[in-house]
Amino acid sequence: MADFEKDRFGRYVTQGLSPKQFDKVFDTIHQDRQKRRRQKARQLTPAVLKNKNLDEILKLGKKQVGTFFTIDDLKSFERNRKQVRKQYTGTQTGITHAQLVANSRSIDVKRANNNVDDGSGITSAAFKGMRHNVALIDVTASQRSVHKNHRVEIRFETWDEALEDAAGNDVGAQQRIAKKMVKDRVSVNCNCGRYQYWYRYIATAGNFTIAPPKEYVYPKLKNPTLEGVACKHIIHALTRMQGSGWQSRVLMTLRKNAAGEHYGDDPKKTTEYFTDDEIKRLNRNRKSQTNQRAARAEFNRYQARLDALAGKLKATDKQQLTKTRKQLLKARTITQKEQARREAAQRKLEEATAERDALKQQLADTLIMQKQIFIDAQVMAGKTPEQARRAYLEHVKSKLGN
Ligand SMILES: [Zn+2]
């Protein structure tokens, strides 16, 4: 692995790097952090949360208010976790822009909009590359932060669908497809502490974090009520993505993919790092203000549509059930008719057989009678019974020979 420069505090220098180096240094930061975390103790892991063993709970240490965690705390944590799972996990991966903004803490939205005067606001971000269907964004850290940059990743979960729709379509239609895709379901990631310690747990439960890493350790100190969903960097980056400038660059990659270039899942083959000129050009088009009220309204409409669809599905279920029941009834009627038909046929067959047997018998009787008459006549004409029987056989033979 390449060695990256560190500052006097031991932090990696993330400014002035090429998009490729920028991407790599954050991979390194991520790996270092994972290593450190593995050595850390006192985490509220799923096992501790489930078992609620008193010794384990005491090992968690104290709350911010200075008292130890209790079983009740853990119970409420578990309730919160279940609530989050219910709230965000659909059957599909990802979260829409509207849902993400609507459920964010308003302080995070204010910071994303640089609507704060304590230096914690976001002032700039640059779209630096595409790793297949993941947008790589460099968000400049706030003035207050000890960091210089953060890497936000946004993965478009409806990429394949958009790709199919875009293929062979005209430019106008493709732009609409791209616009729809960037506001539709995405998975996200940011390397900042806020996302890691406050939100990744929620995003893991809700199935909209780019994994690895997944986060299973309950944020018992930072975010025990599990409020909010994303840090200011993610909110800022995803809102910028709603602007036509960044979108058109995503569309360019989508088009290349649709044409069969770079197609596949090998990230080495599919990562595109933009040139400095391109990055500058992309930054001219700015849509940086996140409107939480509009997002909430949109999310509510979306939710209402989903509910209506669910209602329709239920109604359809009912109709389907009635239809099936009718079909079953019809099938049963048919079966009864069929049964009757078969029984009649059987009866006819039996009757026919009986008739045929009777005829056979009649024929046999007639033959026996004819034989006897023939023999009697021969005997009366002076033949011995033996001669008469032989004469009869000759007579039958001569008849069969005809
Ligand atoms: Zn962040």
Side-chain angles (χ1 to χ4, degrees):
M1 192 181 298
D3 277 332
F4 291 102
E5 199 188 329
K6 287 181 177 178
D7 66 13
R8 62 198 178 92
F9 302 109
R11 292 187 194 104
Y12 287 101
V13 175
T14 52
Q15 286 169 298
L17 298 174
S18 75
K20 188 173 179 175
Q21 288 171 320
F22 180 84
D23 202 27
K24 293 274 172 291
V25 79
F26 277 100
D27 285 344
T28 309
I29 289 171
H30 166 66
Q31 279 153 7
D32 288 359
R33 185 177 281 165
Q34 289 300 98
K35 222 180 283 167
R36 279 203 306 276
R37 282 207 84 197
R38 276 196 288 274
Q39 295 152 1
K40 243 175 139 185
R42 297 212 311 189
Q43 290 175 337
L44 182 40
T45 58
V48 180
L49 191 57
K50 204 172 167 199
N51 297 329
K52 301 183 187 65
N53 175 298
L54 200 60
D55 290 344
E56 296 285 326
I57 296 169
L58 288 176
K59 269 191 228 157
L60 293 172
K62 289 178 180 177
K63 291 189 271 194
Q64 274 163 334
V65 290
T67 54
F68 282 100
F69 285 96
T70 64
I71 289 183
D72 280 345
D73 286 329
L74 263 65
K75 278 183 183 162
S76 77
F77 292 166
E78 214 178 355
R79 268 200 307 278
N80 294 341
R81 186 185 60 87
K82 279 185 182 150
Q83 177 57 33
V84 159
R85 281 198 78 91
K86 225 167 80 189
Q87 190 176 352
Y88 297 106
T89 322
T91 48
Q92 293 169 308
T93 312
I95 186 167
T96 65
H97 175 241
Q99 190 178 13
L100 182 127
V101 173
N103 290 289
S104 284
R105 288 175 185 246
S106 53
I107 185 64
D108 289 320
V109 175
K110 276 186 191 145
R111 286 173 181 157
N113 286 345
N114 197 19
N115 234 339
V116 283
D117 49 19
D118 59 359
S120 66
I122 297 300
T123 52
S124 75
F127 185 13
K128 294 210 159 170
M130 285 291 293
R131 192 195 308 124
H132 184 49
N133 61 344
V134 180
L136 306 171
I137 296 142
D138 166 7
V139 180
T140 307
S142 71
Q143 290 165 16
R144 220 173 66 170
S145 175
V146 293
H147 300 285
K148 299 293 179 209
N149 311 75
H150 290 292
R151 180 182 63 180
V152 169
E153 296 164 278
I154 298 172
R155 184 173 65 210
F156 303 105
E157 298 297 353
T158 58
W159 182 267
D160 290 345
E161 202 182 305
L163 194 135
E164 275 173 34
D165 290 348
N169 237 322
D170 61 78
V171 180
Q174 287 184 339
Q175 281 166 346
R176 282 193 296 279
I177 289 162
K179 190 176 174 156
K180 182 167 166 278
M181 184 183 76
V182 299
K183 68 184 235 185
D184 209 328
R185 292 176 293 107
V186 294
S187 291
V188 294
N189 191 25
C190 178
N191 72 294
C192 75
R194 177 89 162 174
Y195 184 66
Q196 177 173 354
Y197 298 114
W198 292 60
Y199 302 130
R200 193 179 280 133
Y201 181 85
I202 298 168
T204 300
N207 202 13
F208 58 87
T209 195
I210 293 178
K214 286 188 176 180
E215 182 59 71
Y216 294 110
V217 176
Y218 196 95
K220 62 184 196 297
L221 290 175
K222 306 283 191 193
N223 193 6
T225 52
L226 301 184
E227 281 169 77
V229 281
C231 62
K232 58 192 172 187
H233 314 108
I234 290 173
I235 299 169
H236 184 90
L238 191 55
T239 293
R240 290 286 293 278
M241 194 51 84
Q242 308 306 309
S244 59
W246 287 19
Q247 231 171 76
S248 62
R249 187 57 191 78
V250 173
L251 178 58
M252 199 188 282
T253 302
L254 191 75
R255 250 190 233 133
K256 279 184 188 174
N257 270 206
E261 291 176 55
H262 314 291
Y263 196 70
D265 292 322
D266 184 353
K268 277 183 202 135
K269 277 186 194 161
T270 57
T271 305
E272 292 175 90
Y273 295 111
F274 307 156
T275 62
D276 288 346
D277 279 353
E278 202 169 11
I279 293 167
K280 245 180 240 162
R281 220 174 25 248
L282 287 170
N283 263 355
R284 265 185 231 138
N285 192 314
R286 282 167 176 269
K287 175 191 169 69
S288 60
Q289 290 298 298
T290 302
N291 185 338
Q292 198 170 26
R293 198 185 302 161
R296 283 190 177 137
E298 187 181 337
F299 178 60
N300 286 340
R301 280 198 300 276
Y302 173 78
Q303 201 64 23
R305 272 204 305 278
L306 279 187
D307 290 348
L309 193 67
K312 224 184 212 169
L313 276 179
K314 260 185 211 152
T316 313
D317 280 354
K318 227 177 197 172
Q319 283 174 358
Q320 188 61 42
L321 208 66
T322 316
K323 204 172 151 193
T324 310
R325 202 174 288 135
K326 273 187 187 159
Q327 275 172 348
L328 267 176
L329 202 68
K330 206 171 155 192
R332 205 153 51 212
T333 318
I334 289 173
T335 312
Q336 280 168 349
K337 271 189 191 160
E338 174 67 13
Q339 186 69 21
R341 197 187 64 77
R342 279 185 197 165
E343 279 169 11
Q346 183 64 29
R347 258 199 316 276
K348 241 183 200 165
L349 186 71
E350 279 165 15
E351 277 165 17
T353 311
E355 207 174 331
R356 200 185 56 212
D357 288 350
L359 274 172
K360 256 189 195 164
Q361 192 58 51
Q362 239 175 0
L363 195 65
D365 292 347
T366 312
L367 281 175
I368 290 167
M369 204 166 66
Q370 278 178 349
K371 182 184 171 188
Q372 199 54 52
I373 292 170
F374 187 94
I375 291 171
D376 287 349
Q378 294 286 317
V379 171
M380 275 167 76
K383 297 211 169 138
T384 64
E386 184 50 38
Q387 284 169 332
R389 253 196 303 278
R390 244 185 267 138
Y392 177 71
L393 285 178
E394 288 303 315
H395 167 73
V396 172
K397 263 185 206 162
S398 71
K399 283 227 160 185
L400 288 174
N402 289 336

